[in-house]
Amino acid sequence: MVKVFSKNKNASHRKKRTRFTFLCKILGGFSAAVLSLLAFSMYSIIDEYSMMKKALPDVDVDSLNAHAHVPAHAHVPARAHTTSLVVKDPILPDLHGVYADFFFEDILEEARQAMIATSTSTSTSTNAKNKPLVFMEVGMHSSTQCLQAARVGLQAHCVEPSPSSFKRIDSRIRNSAKEVRRNVKFYQLAASTQTGLDLEFMSGGGTGDHVGGGGYDVWTMTKREASASVSTSKLRKAETTIVKSVALDDIISNKILPTINYGSASTSASATKMSKAVSIPLSQKIDNIFFLKVDTQGHEPSVFAGLQESIREHKIDLILTEYWPKGIDFMNDSMGPETECTKPVEILQPLLDAGYTLYTLPPCYHPKAPKDASLARLRRMIDGKEIMPLSTLREHCMWYYDLERQYREGGDGKLSTGGDEIYQMGYWTDVLAVKPGFKFTATPVTRTGKIIAERFS
């Protein structure tokens, strides 16, 4: 998030008040106080929006590890653009206007309502009443959403391997209220195909930390020698380290303990030791995941490969995963006309095969993406003026590549901030998977919950 502060804020506001007081005197037939308040508010909003737009070109892409997750309508509240869900095809209909962050907040509220309904139900067993719903976040970067889920009362299983991010995450969790902290189970492990592997991990403490050595540059979509990547780029200081892997199936089937259980009487400050579960209290065992959120910077194919048992057995109600076709192909060495979209499709196909219903959220782009024909087409799709092809998973994936290849129609692909650098990151979205037969325990109260309930009624 870009925060803009004015050094002359008070002086600026005095000037605005003077202008609009004069205006109100001229319009004497109206209520001067009301007009002044409304006009001043509008002026402030427009002025703030203008300052933010001016500030965006100055965002240091490299310092953000070249992967800031910014919604396409980042500077206009997405809820202002929400419309009814329009289903054009049973494969990946567009959950139009619902962005990932809003979806997350809505689902947490639905979880809270569900737990209230369960706790007050006379037909629910005592064991069921005492077991909270389970949230799992894979690829954290920060503790924010993990703690949000814990604060609502969910049992939060949060997975993040980055050594550089650990100290910050651990500190914030430990400084949280006891009733929140006790709901957090932390795994300093990299979700992958199987448990116990040694994986290279690029750790700088930023949003772009990823499995794989330092030779992957997602901003330019090129590979370099690992040492050159660290020493010549403008990225924050980062280094390649070795982390242990875990298959999410092993966590969900209660075979692997958290590296830190913040709900236990004593917790160690070290989170690097992985241990197999011997005995887990009934109240702490995972029976089902209510909501799984995945964002692993292109490592998603390996994450989902280690999740196949849980998918086949429908142990997860809702799955929200970042879907970045170009980044996934790049990080898995599958770029090129013969192989592109192979890996992205491999993530989603098993979900369809298991009977999950898939939705796509609105596409996103980096603030420095060119303001060209590609961006214009993307905005038309976001505004409901163009329908994304949804008939097959490959067609949907290729849409993001084809969008980037529209550069020559209206521009040269150069960054919107000027200069000769070509934008290479591409575009991405989030995909929601809903298990067959899913129903909320309580009557949905949020827009997202109502849409899902309507589709499954």
Side-chain angles (χ1 to χ4, degrees):
M1 179 182 291
V2 179
K3 295 184 179 179
V4 182
F5 300 92
S6 171
K7 294 181 179 179
N8 299 309
K9 184 176 180 181
N10 292 333
S12 175
H13 283 193
R14 282 196 296 272
K15 290 180 181 178
K16 293 172 189 173
R17 284 195 291 268
T18 301
R19 293 176 197 164
F20 289 105
T21 299
F22 177 71
L23 175 62
C24 291
K25 287 181 180 180
I26 295 175
L27 302 174
F30 296 89
S31 171
V34 173
L35 280 176
S36 180
L37 176 62
L38 288 174
F40 177 72
S41 299
M42 290 179 64
Y43 191 101
S44 299
I45 292 170
I46 294 170
D47 187 54
E48 180 180 357
Y49 180 79
S50 176
M51 287 192 294
M52 290 181 71
K53 292 289 285 183
K54 289 178 181 178
L56 259 178
D58 296 327
V59 174
D60 185 354
V61 175
D62 292 327
S63 70
L64 294 175
N65 279 338
H67 195 196
H69 292 207
V70 182
H73 275 163
H75 311 298
V76 181
R79 290 197 188 277
H81 298 271
T82 56
T83 62
S84 298
L85 174 64
V86 179
V87 180
K88 294 295 181 182
D89 192 281
I91 305 280
L92 285 163
D94 178 16
L95 204 62
H96 190 72
V98 180
Y99 289 98
D101 287 345
F102 289 136
F103 176 88
F104 178 82
E105 293 169 5
D106 281 358
I107 293 304
L108 288 194
E109 177 57 25
E110 298 298 351
R112 190 178 74 85
Q113 295 294 330
M115 288 188 290
I116 291 173
T118 300
S119 66
T120 58
S121 173
T122 57
S123 61
T124 305
S125 68
T126 303
N127 285 338
K129 287 183 178 181
N130 293 335
K131 290 199 72 170
L133 294 178
V134 177
F135 165 71
M136 180 177 286
E137 181 179 17
V138 181
M140 296 170 62
H141 168 60
S142 78
S143 60
T144 300
Q145 292 188 327
C146 179
L147 286 174
Q148 279 182 267
R151 197 169 290 117
V152 169
L154 278 75
Q155 189 181 103
H157 292 256
C158 305
V159 184
E160 173 57 59
S162 174
S164 300
S165 298
F166 170 69
K167 185 176 181 180
R168 180 184 69 254
I169 292 171
D170 179 64
S171 175
R172 190 171 176 201
I173 294 173
R174 290 181 186 278
N175 288 327
S176 298
K178 182 179 180 180
E179 61 270 20
V180 174
R181 186 171 66 247
R182 68 187 180 191
N183 293 330
V184 178
K185 324 295 178 186
F186 180 74
Y187 305 78
Q188 193 180 359
L189 304 166
S192 197
T193 56
Q194 56 185 292
T195 297
L197 300 176
D198 289 330
L199 301 178
E200 283 192 336
F201 187 85
M202 189 65 178
S203 177
T207 58
D209 286 8
H210 58 264
V211 172
Y216 291 87
D217 187 338
V218 296
W219 179 242
T220 61
M221 290 290 167
T222 57
K223 294 181 182 179
R224 315 169 184 172
E225 293 296 328
S227 58
S229 174
V230 176
S231 62
T232 63
S233 73
K234 296 179 182 179
L235 298 177
R236 69 178 70 194
K237 187 176 181 181
E239 59 181 14
T240 300
T241 187
I242 300 298
V243 298
K244 283 290 185 182
S245 72
V246 65
L248 295 182
D249 277 336
D250 288 343
I251 295 177
I252 296 171
S253 59
N254 302 293
K255 295 178 182 177
I256 297 296
L257 291 172
T259 49
I260 295 183
N261 181 356
Y262 290 94
S264 65
S266 61
T267 58
S268 169
S270 173
T272 58
K273 186 178 180 180
M274 178 176 63
S275 57
K276 294 183 178 181
V278 177
S279 177
I280 300 177
L282 185 62
S283 62
Q284 298 294 314
K285 281 189 174 181
I286 300 174
D287 296 322
N288 181 78
I289 301 291
F290 174 69
F291 178 26
L292 167 66
K293 180 177 178 290
V294 180
D295 182 355
T296 55
Q297 305 301 305
H299 191 58
E300 286 82 2
S302 294
V303 172
F304 278 85
L307 193 59
Q308 293 304 298
E309 178 184 314
S310 300
I311 291 172
R312 287 192 302 270
E313 296 181 4
H314 301 152
K315 291 183 177 180
I316 311 166
D317 295 339
L318 304 169
I319 302 172
L320 184 68
T321 181
E322 184 181 68
Y323 189 69
W324 179 25
K326 191 173 184 180
I328 292 168
D329 281 334
F330 174 65
M331 294 301 295
N332 291 275
D333 300 319
S334 59
M335 294 188 75
E338 300 298 322
T339 56
E340 62 190 15
C341 279
T342 302
K343 290 295 183 179
V345 169
E346 283 181 7
I347 297 171
L348 302 182
Q349 188 62 55
L351 290 163
L352 283 180
D353 294 342
Y356 280 76
T357 300
L358 304 184
Y359 297 88
T360 179
L361 275 61
C364 300
Y365 60 91
H366 196 279
K368 289 193 175 183
K371 293 181 173 63
D372 58 8
S374 297
L375 188 58
R377 182 183 176 193
L378 184 147
R379 286 190 177 279
R380 287 197 301 273
M381 198 281 295
I382 291 174
D383 293 336
K385 298 176 182 178
E386 181 174 334
I387 301 300
M388 182 185 294
L390 304 170
S391 58
T392 68
L393 294 179
R394 178 170 175 78
E395 185 181 8
H396 171 255
C397 176
M398 287 303 301
W399 185 88
Y400 289 90
Y401 276 104
D402 293 340
L403 181 67
E404 190 172 3
R405 289 162 183 160
Q406 299 294 317
Y407 284 150
R408 298 301 181 264
E409 291 184 10
D412 53 15
K414 293 180 180 178
L415 300 185
S416 60
T417 49
D420 295 325
E421 189 176 359
I422 303 297
Y423 179 69
Q424 300 288 356
M425 275 190 70
Y427 305 90
W428 60 94
T429 185
D430 292 271
V431 170
L432 167 66
V434 184
K435 85 172 181 181
F438 171 75
K439 290 185 178 180
F440 290 107
T441 305
T443 302
V445 296
T446 66
R447 177 179 177 272
T448 302
K450 291 175 181 178
I451 289 175
I452 293 174
E454 181 181 348
R455 289 284 296 135
F456 282 81
S457 61

